[in-house]
Amino acid sequence: MTGLNFRPLALAAAIAAAPAFAHAQEQDLGWSPQGPVTMLIAFAAGGGADSLARLLAEELNARYDWEVIPQNVTGRGGVVMAQHLAGEPADGMTVGVSVSEATTYAVQAARDPGFDVSSFDYLSTITGTQMGIIAKADRGWDNIGDVIEAAKSGEQITVGSMTQKLADATYVLGKNNGIEFTNVMTSGGRGGMNAVIADDVDIAWSAGAQAQGVEAGDLINLTSAEAEPLQVSPDAPMIGDFNFDYDMGVMFLVMAPAGLPEDAKTAWATAIETIVTDEETQINALTNRAFSGPQILNGEELSQAMQESYDAAGRLLDESAE
């Protein structure tokens, strides 16, 4: 499968939060902002990216004596924030919290949004999704192969998709298996899950919100659409087993305008990794509760992953247009 792939990261030991330690850590970073930092958030208040960003900002302020001010800049699946961020100085004083597809798939789909994947320095990932395709457990389907066979037998299958990328993926998955799904746009992964529960759609993409329903036995993950098995459903088959060569997982990440000085990039990456992997922090708890746990990529490894995701997005778009 082609797309973004995390390397597993063991959780760090708990880090004391005493003020003296915080000041020592600030000095150890080798760089600190000379004034307030604006943290642009690509999505609306209350969502996953917003919650992660605000918890990260709180910990940066408390641990390193920074002054990080969150600001929501929403629209077009993260594109509006990226447009804003691309025009800011590359000095470490303005960063953005977004998802990987905002500068990979969205750029390919928009064709010319005024920036591309190379317009940013990607400082660090935070966590990832748990993307799967779900159905109600009482439908009697064990995996996505059963759904494909039902469609081949003449059953009309409706699929809830929360983004255009997933709608395109729905089309490609059907086409590659000789069937045609009916796509229905939903509002977020929870919207798709609710649509499945209400029988408004037969199956839906969901990025982790389904975990509680799966654990309760009400929902089933028919497939993992990530590069790795789903944590809540490790036995669910991989989507790559069904003629679909794309990783649909999404990374939550922190980024800055391209050209950031190396000392600032290193300081940001170190601070983020230290905070996210600290078991005592609220952001660590949130990643474990609602996402795939702390998952860190930074430096050249992250830049390469973003380029690979950008290239894969172009291929998916081309295939969805055939």
Side-chain angles (χ1 to χ4, degrees):
M1 293 176 66
T2 304
L4 292 164
N5 192 0
F6 288 119
R7 58 176 171 83
L9 180 73
L11 298 182
I15 299 173
F21 182 85
H23 285 292
Q25 284 296 299
E26 181 182 10
Q27 293 171 353
D28 289 345
L29 292 177
W31 176 93
S32 61
Q34 302 304 301
V37 174
T38 301
M39 178 178 280
L40 305 177
I41 306 171
F43 299 94
D50 180 75
S51 298
L52 291 167
R54 292 180 184 277
L55 290 174
L56 178 61
E58 289 177 8
E59 191 66 26
L60 286 166
N61 294 343
R63 187 183 295 255
Y64 297 109
D65 289 333
W66 292 7
E67 184 182 358
V68 180
I69 303 171
Q71 177 183 338
N72 297 88
V73 181
T74 64
R76 297 175 61 194
V79 169
V80 173
M81 189 281 281
Q83 289 173 328
H84 189 136
L85 183 63
E88 292 295 314
D91 56 8
M93 303 300 293
T94 305
V95 299
V97 175
S98 189
V99 293
S100 51
E101 67 181 53
T103 55
T104 57
Y105 197 86
V107 172
Q108 293 277 20
R111 301 301 178 187
D112 187 19
F115 63 86
D116 62 27
V117 69
S118 66
S119 298
F120 305 97
D121 284 332
Y122 301 96
L123 304 177
S124 179
T125 57
I126 298 173
T127 188
T129 54
Q130 288 283 278
M131 187 71 73
I133 299 178
I134 61 172
K136 288 176 72 172
D138 62 12
R139 289 300 298 266
W141 294 324
D142 292 328
N143 56 61
I144 193 65
D146 292 341
V147 179
I148 291 169
E149 290 305 312
K152 287 181 177 179
S153 298
E155 188 172 348
Q156 186 62 54
I157 305 295
T158 55
V159 184
S161 302
M162 62 186 120
T163 67
Q164 187 57 50
K165 178 182 179 181
L166 294 174
D168 290 343
T170 297
Y171 170 76
V172 171
L173 178 63
K175 175 175 70 71
N176 289 355
N177 286 281
I179 59 176
E180 185 173 347
F181 292 120
T182 298
N183 191 72
V184 177
M185 298 305 296
T186 62
S187 179
R190 190 166 296 277
M193 180 183 69
N194 291 339
V196 166
I197 293 171
D199 293 320
D200 293 331
V201 298
D202 296 298
I203 61 177
W205 300 87
S206 192
Q210 73 271 34
Q212 186 173 357
V214 171
E215 291 174 339
D218 299 322
L219 299 172
I220 181 172
N221 278 308
L222 299 168
T223 181
S224 170
E226 301 276 345
E228 303 292 338
L230 297 175
Q231 293 176 1
V232 72
S233 302
D235 295 330
M238 305 302 294
I239 199 169
D241 296 337
F242 300 93
N243 303 311
F244 187 83
D245 191 31
Y246 301 94
D247 168 14
M248 302 308 291
V250 174
M251 295 190 297
F252 293 87
L253 51 79
V254 184
M255 56 199 240
L260 202 63
E262 287 300 321
D263 60 347
K265 284 196 286 188
T266 300
W268 270 102
T270 301
I272 294 165
E273 181 166 358
T274 299
I275 289 168
V276 173
T277 60
D278 181 354
E279 292 177 324
E280 297 298 312
T281 60
Q282 293 185 59
I283 191 171
N284 177 282
L286 178 60
T287 65
N288 282 297
R289 183 174 67 251
F291 302 101
S292 58
Q295 298 210 347
I296 300 293
L297 287 178
N298 52 44
E300 183 57 33
E301 189 176 13
L302 177 52
S303 297
Q304 181 178 345
M306 292 297 291
Q307 184 62 53
E308 291 173 355
S309 182
Y310 178 81
D311 295 340
R315 293 192 293 274
L316 178 58
L317 275 165
D318 289 344
E319 194 170 355
S320 69
E322 293 175 355

